[in-house]
Structure formats: structure tokens, C-alpha cells
Amino acid sequence: MPDTVKRASSSRPGPSARIWAARDSILFSLSTLLLLGGVLAASADANALATILWTSSAGIGLAYSTVTIGLAVRRRQPSVDVIAWLALVGALLVGEPVAGAVIAVMLFTGGVLEARASVRARRELSTLAARAPRVARRQNPHGIEEVPVDRVAIGDRLLVGAGEIVPVDGRLTDAGVFDESALSGEANPVDRPAGDDVRSGVVNAGSAVTMVATQRAAESTYAGVVRLVEQAQSATAPFVRLADRFAVGFVPLTLAVAGIAWAITGDPVRAVAVLVVATPCPLLLAAPIAIMSGLSRAARHGVILKGGSPLERLAAGRVLLFDKTGTLTRGRPALTAIITAGPEPADELLRLAASLDQASAHVLAATIVKAARDRGLSLTPATDVRERHGYGVEGTVGGRVVRLGKAAWTLDGPVQGWVRRARRRAALDGSLTVFLAVDGQPAGVLLLTDPLRPDAPRMMRTLRQSGIRRMVLVTGDRADIAESVGRIVGADAVYADRDPAEKLAIVQREQQEAPTIMVGDGVNDAPALAAAGVGVALAARGATASAEAADVVLTADRIDGLADAIMVARHSHRIARLAAGIGMGLSFAAMIPAAAGRLSPTAGAILQEIIDVAAIGIALTALLPTRTHTVRLPQADLAVATRLHAQHDAIRPLVEQIRVVADGLGAVPPDLASARRLVDQLDSDLLPHELAEEQQLLPILDRALGPDPTGALSRTHAEIEHQVRRLRRACDDLGEHPEPDELTDLRASLYGLYAILHLHNAQEEESAFSLMPTEAARRAG
């Protein structure tokens, strides 16, 4: 078992450790009983017994504060317990044992409240570590054997039963249903087909499935999450250290006020009263509680902050730097278009390509197979499969010889016009090309693009509103693609073609101007993440070097969790300062009547107890829900959005067909039959979908975001309907031998509709479908 998992699973405290962990509660209970016992004794005129009980309670507090001061001296750290120690000594010396007893209860009350708040605040993080997988069921020639998770090797075939935790990262050999809420926050079960990657730590919510291990336990997602959690729980916030320094600075002021009151009046009781009310517990307790509450709330949004220090720096960040691939984009190519070169329909070409790619280990093969399955195409097992490294793959699918790969290898003969058009389009769009030949004849080309995350633009606008003043895109990709993405998300500056050293230099330069936040997901981002004021890594696909170097880790495959984390950090930071400021302000105000003799040590101790509880109560409000970037859709609205998103994705091939038909009108003779069939499909498929979105999707957006975001979408729905009706009239007016200007107008209308639909679909994904949880959107697609 990996060390991190061992610690999470086997570090069960013994009796002595449990007693030590409960020391604050034990001491609080004992000091409270002694205080109350003294009150009862005094009410029964047993004053001697009351004095003994109160003195004992004060003595316990004095001994405890003496130990804490001694430990601080050994560590060469300042300690504000010196004020409480002086107050206890003074109370006993001036004959105010009841005040000493109240001070002792006050000390231990603060410890109990802090411990309980910390337990509550850490709950979401601790739950992750507590449920780490410990065993795996491995298949071998003799059956199933149960082995410790650290003995699982890459390539082992594992069985995961219903309700069991996936022990290591792997690839499914059967379709399955999984509860991934522990890692991603997604509440609904996730359907994953055979061939999908599955992460350790998720729960099998369906029937038993088999999988092949792709990582050892120590390198799997869950072990990485446990390491991140341990770092988060062991770190300390700078504000807490600042609180210590500020509170220690309060000591000379307190001693000065107490000394002046004693010197002027000659009454040591007044000095003791000043010491009692000056105890800076509000600052020392409220700040850590608010910070821990912020860590807890961030964890609920799928964000792990490695302690209070990153939370502080995240709240202070003013410059946001981000990588492109895998951060603003999905990091995985998606099929965006199919250009046909002959009579074969686009779906048939995709079916043949995906059937062949089922047997390929190429990085793009999974994308093509997924695209075919998303369209509901029936795949056929390929035979005689031969893969030529660096060129492509060929084989037989249903009796037809299929070749897939680079144009120079796939296509014979001179370069044809459609090949040049495909290459030009791919170059302009930043797409990859996969050419296809069937039975020795050129058949078409598949275009694949790394799409922009639909949640990215809205998140960037939210961060602007939250105080981020400058946004910088830093990427190793080429300039034209980087600048296109930068324009869409609203970047202030774009640095393209940068290697890791150059990224590091840019971060360091920006850090000199203002506090920085760097967001990335790859190994090449790790140096920049480590150098930034705070580094944020996307680790939804496993713990990488970027996650190890980062201060903040997004465990869900969504970039908009960053906006939630920043908003939570700033809210918690504001609450920490508010709680500490109010508490210390009240303590300072109480010093005045104490020095004037209007507040006895006993009354001062009771007042200080009230101030402590009030400050801690304010700090705990950091746990309460506040406005965040993520919008939670009601189940009914989510169901409607999921259905419409599935239709939205199903319409994509029809949208691409508009451009294909427009290109075909330039042939001699023009392909008018395809144009008429297309208009029929637009009437029967596209317009009903747009109407359904107008009637059902836009009201959901109105409820979630307010009416303003839906105005442009509604206007575009009307424009799409207008353009389709115009195309219908244009096709109806065409004769058998149309004039060139009629064809030009028809082609212009098709290209215009194609552009409108592309923009409209991007707007819907950004403003509407990005509100859906990641896995709900994936299932719909």
C-alpha cells in the first residue's frame, strides 16, 4: 500500500492519543466544574471551599499557559499566552480567585470552539483520505484473488464489484456506472462505456465490471488526492502567523495601560482587570477558524487548497496567468467536421474509420471511436489490421479495405482540390487532419480540434468582476491559435510559442507588478506554478507534476471551479479580518473602563468570554453559503437542459453539412439535389430544436442568471428561422438550370447560416450548457 494510503488507513489513534486530542474538552470540563462548584459553595456560605475550588481552576489555567509559553520559547516563537498568564497570576495575587477561574474557563472555551470548528471545517478533506482504497480483486488463471492495493501492477486485470471502490486508475473493459462525487462533486451516477478511463477512488454504482490497471496505486488519482489533503491539513495560513505577531504587539500596549492605571491609582486590581480584558483570543482563534472554514467550503466545490497560505494568496491575487491546452481547452481533440471526397455519406466514413480504429493504439483513435459511438453508429470489428508507425493504420472492415492516416500515405496520385481545401481549412482553424481511403479510392478527411472549454469565457468575466485586473495567456502553442483563444476569453496579453523556462520568466516578471495566480495542467507548467504567488492545477485526470507543484488543485474537470475558489477565498479572508478586528476592537475598548476602575477582574473575565464567543461566531459565518460562480440547476431544469444538450450535439453533423453543400454548389454541374435535401432537414430537424430551446432552455437561463443573458440568444433563434425560410424560398425558385448569380446568392446564404449557427452554438454552450455539471453534459453528448 502506498505510504499516503497507509497513513490514511492505519493511523488510528490509541487511548493516550485520543485523550491528548480531547485535552481541551477535558480541561474545559474540569475548569468549568471547579468554577460552578465554587459558585455553589459560595452560595452556601462555604467561602473557604469556594476559594479553594476557584483557585484550583485558576491554577489549572496557569499551569496550562505556563506549558504553552515554555513550548513557544523552545521553538523560539512568540506567544500571546503571556497576557493570560499575567492575568491569572495577578488575579490570584490580588485575591480575585473567581476572576482567575473565569479566565481559565475562557482559555479552554476558546480551545474547544477552535477544535470543533476545525473538525467541521476539515470534514470534507478528511473524508477523502479516510475512504482510500485498500484492497483489489485481481483476476488470474486460477480465478479471483484479493490483494493489497500496492501489489497491483500496470496491466493487471481487476474486478470491481457493485458498491466497491475502484482501487487504481485503469481502463474499463466493460461499460459501467460510477459514483464519482468524492472526486468531482458530481452528484449523479456517471455512465462510462468500455474503453473509458476510470479513476481510483470512485465507487462502482452498477453491476460488477472488469478493468485493466494503467497506473500503480502510488501514482493513481486517489493516492495523489490523499497527498494533497495531507499537505492541506498540515499547512498554516500567513494570516494566522500575522495574527500571532499582531497579538504579540498588543502585549506592550496592554502592559503599558495596566502599568499606567496601577501607577496613577495605586490599585493593582485595575491592572489585573486590564490584563483580563486584553487577552487577544479573538484574533488568535477567529482568524484560523475563518481560514479553515474557507478550506472546507472550497473542498465542497471540488477544490483542494493546500492549507491556509494558498487561500490567503488566492484572495490577494490580482493577475491571472493561464496555460491554453488542457486549461482553457479540453486538452483532448474532438471531431469537428467530416469532408467527403466521393459518394460515401459522412456517417459511413466515420463508421468505417472508427471500426478500424478500435484496434489502434494511436492517441487519436479513441477520439474517432467516441465520435462514432456518440452518433449511434454500429461498429464492425476490423480484420487484417496493420499499423504503420508515423503514417497510419489499414485493415478490412466488412469486406472493404480501409486506410486511415496521413494524406501522403493514405491517398495515391496527385493532390486533388478537395485535399487542398481541407488542408487550408485545417490550417486556418488549427485542426488536425486524418485522411481516409476506401478500397483504394480517396474517401474524405476527418478534422479534429481541441475545443475551448465552454465554461471558460463566463468564468473569466466573473473573475474580472471579482477583482482580477489582468489576464495573461501563456502557451507553447503557435501564435495564431493562441491569439484566437485569447480574444474569446478576453485575455489582456498573449504569449505564444513559449517553453517552460520562458513561461517561468513571464510569471516572475508579472509577480513583480502584482500578486499572481498561475493556472496549468501539464508537466511543462510545473515550474511556473511553483514560481507564481499561487499555482492552480487541473488534476481531474490524475495527480501530475503540476498538481504536486501547485498550491490549489481542481479535482473536477472544469475550469470554472477556479472562480468559486477565488470567491470563497476572498470571502473567508474578509470574514477572518472582520472577526479578528471586531474582537480586538472590543477588547481594546474594554481596557478603558477596566483601567478607570469601572470593571472588576471578574466582570472583565466574563466580558472577555462573551467577546471571544462573538468573534468565533463571526468567524464561523465563513461556512455559510454565499454567492459563488457555479449555478446549481434544479433537477427538473437539469433534466430539460440535458435533453436539449443531447439534441444540440445531434444537430452538429447537420450544421457541418451546410458548409459541405455550399462547397458542392461550386461544382459543374451544381449539386442542387443535396441543397434541397439539406433545406428539408433544416426544416424538419433544426427549426424544431431551435424552437424547443426558445421555449424551454431560455426560461431556465432566466431563472438561473436573470433575463439579460437570454436576449441575444432569443434574437439569434429568430434569425436562424428567418435564414432557413429564406433558403427554402431560394431553393423553390431555382429552375433546372439556375443562373450564376442565383447560385452565388444560395451559396452566400448557406455560408452565412453556417457562420450564424457556429456562433449561436458556441454562445449556447458558454451561457447555458456550461451550467450543467460536467458528467451530465458528457452523458448528454
Side-chain angles (χ1 to χ4, degrees), residues 269-330:
V269 175
R270 296 191 183 191
V272 172
V274 170
L275 293 174
V276 169
V277 298
T279 305
C281 290
L283 183 65
L284 298 181
L285 298 180
I289 289 171
I291 295 297
M292 288 301 302
S293 298
L295 299 182
S296 171
R297 288 199 60 216
R300 297 177 200 168
H301 290 281
V303 181
I304 294 179
L305 292 97
K306 300 179 182 178
S309 176
L311 185 142
E312 291 279 353
R313 288 180 274 128
L314 196 62
R318 292 296 178 268
V319 177
L320 177 66
L321 302 100
F322 43 88
D323 178 46
K324 181 185 76 68
T325 303
T327 303
L328 293 179
T329 67
R330 293 195 181 278

Side-chain angles (χ1 to χ4, degrees), residues 473-504:
L473 173 58
V474 187
T475 177
D477 212 340
R478 68 179 202 246
D480 56 337
I481 297 175
E483 288 171 359
S484 175
V485 172
R487 282 192 298 270
I488 293 173
V489 300
D492 297 298
V494 176
Y495 298 96
D497 296 309
R498 306 293 170 148
D499 61 25
E502 291 171 319
K503 287 185 177 182
L504 175 60

Side-chain angles (χ1 to χ4, degrees), residues 10 80 91 138 158 189 191 229 340 355 373 399 473 533 683 726:
S10 61
V80 294
R138 184 169 60 190
L158 307 177
D191 296 302
V229 169
T340 60
S355 295
R373 284 177 171 155
L473 173 58
D683 261 332
R726 188 175 183 276

Side-chain angles (χ1 to χ4, degrees), residues 535-557:
V536 181
L538 277 80
R541 297 171 209 160
T544 65
S546 61
E548 298 292 339
D551 306 293
V552 181
V553 180
L554 308 182
T555 61
D557 193 19

